[in-house]
């Protein structure tokens, strides 16, 4: 739409898109408003005739298969805000906390430490999908309550994983951000349920997923009506064995050229080695990442899961100081 398009002209065009048998999605930016028309163009006919309507600037096809996630649809980069967490723009969001919530003392102590070091959100798993059915599966709702206590103590937004569509409503009561883990990236019913949610979503790339598959998974959430999606690169599976996964930081600039959605990097899962996490976090900041998510525990050697890739609180504070210097060098804040 034109920059000076009125609300009446926007509403009229939404109705015209619906009359053409397509689904209109309204995207409001600071510069202009875009109406994305989703559906089968073979049935709708040539929509270029709508350019003659009042308030319309131009009608253009979106060539990418992911229509709402595409930078063609929204050239302005999205900034996602959820409680204390802001990801995108000039600010880099830092999400930190343990792999699993183990008890209230552990999660509250971690929250206090990561906040003091500069983290803007607390991560912690209450529901833990594990490769082995015998591994610790999380404290579930009891763990969610502990996360809420940690938020009350520190003010940090809570980021936690949701593993099934039935749990979205419950987890949304306790968390500002719903994390969709790598194993569930193509759980389409879960994506649709998160699309109906009012909570921000952190969508992790599957270890064997292509970039297009990641963006099409995000499209399910966006198409459901939830615009607050962050993409997370957490490493892919290759033939290399020196790290848990291979963390391709080229994902950051590539995604930023294709989508307006913020890009978050997970150097903990991406490397699987505590000693490698700070270096890859700094590299991610230099590459232009919009956010970082890392695992932090007061005593990693006693962690119930992923201790081998987890920083202690002192190491996290040191990493934050180093990342700030890199951020300043690339005109960002952390």
């Amino acid at each position: 739409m034109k920059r000076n398009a009125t609300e009446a002209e926007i509403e009229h065009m939404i109705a015209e898109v619906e009359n053409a048998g397509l689904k209109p999605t309204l995207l409001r930016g600071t510069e202009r408003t875009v109406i994305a028309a989703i559906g089968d163009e073979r049935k709708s006919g040539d929509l270029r005739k709508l350019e003659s309507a009042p308030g319309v600037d131009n009608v253009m096809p979106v060539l990418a298969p992911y229509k709402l996630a595409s930078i063609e649809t929204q050239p302005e980069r999205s900034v996602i805000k959820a409680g204390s967490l802001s990801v995108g723009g000039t600010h880099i969001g830092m999400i930190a906390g343990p792999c699993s919530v183990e008890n209230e003392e552990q999660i509250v102590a971690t929250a206090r430490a990561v906040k003091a070091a500069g983290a803007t959100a607390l991560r912690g798993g209450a529901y833990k999908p594990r490769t082995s059915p015998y591994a610790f599966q999380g404290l579930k709702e009891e763990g969610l309550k502990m996360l809420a206590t940690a938020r009350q103590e520190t003010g940090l937004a809570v980021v936690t994983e949701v593993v099934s569509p039935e749990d979205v409503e419950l987890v949304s009561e306790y968390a500002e951000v719903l994390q969709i883990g790598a194993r569930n990236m193509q759980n389409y019913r879960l994506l649709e349920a998160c699309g109906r949610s009012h909570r921000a979503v952190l969508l992790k790339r599957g270890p064997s997923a292509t970039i297009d598959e990641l963006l099409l998974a995000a499209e399910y959430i966006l198409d459901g009506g939830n615009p607050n999606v962050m993409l997370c690169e957490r490493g892919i599976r290759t033939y290399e064995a020196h790290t848990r996964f291979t963390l391709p930081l080229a994902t950051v600039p590539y995604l930023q050229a294709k989508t307006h959605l913020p890009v978050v990097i997970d150097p903990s899962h991406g490397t699987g080695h505590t000693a490698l996490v700070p270096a890859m976090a700094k590299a991610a900041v230099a590459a232009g990442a919009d956010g970082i998510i890392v695992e932090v525990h007061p005593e990693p050697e006693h962690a119930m899961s992923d201790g081998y890739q987890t920083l202690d609180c002192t190491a996290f504070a040191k990493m934050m100081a180093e990342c700030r210097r890199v951020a300043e060098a690339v005109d960002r804040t952390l």
Side-chain angles (χ1 to χ4, degrees), residues 33-92:
T33 296
V34 173
I35 300 169
I38 311 298
D40 189 345
E41 61 183 314
R42 294 173 298 178
K43 296 177 182 178
S44 63
D46 189 352
L47 291 183
R48 285 178 296 179
K49 61 186 178 183
L50 298 179
E51 276 194 11
S52 61
V56 176
D57 188 13
N58 62 67
V59 177
M60 55 178 281
V62 178
L63 301 179
Y66 36 89
K67 308 301 183 185
L68 299 176
S70 175
I71 205 163
E72 297 176 73
T73 304
Q74 184 177 319
E76 233 177 284
R77 299 206 56 77
S78 292
V79 177
I80 307 301
K81 296 182 178 180
S84 62
L85 178 66
S86 179
V87 178
T90 60
H91 184 73
I92 302 168

Side-chain angles (χ1 to χ4, degrees), residues 5 8 26 39 59 65 99 158 172 180 189 210 227 264 275 277 282 288 291 296 314 327:
L26 190 63
V59 177
C99 177
V158 169
S172 296
I180 298 179
R189 301 294 80 80
T210 65
V264 177
V277 171
K282 288 181 285 185
V296 180
T314 301

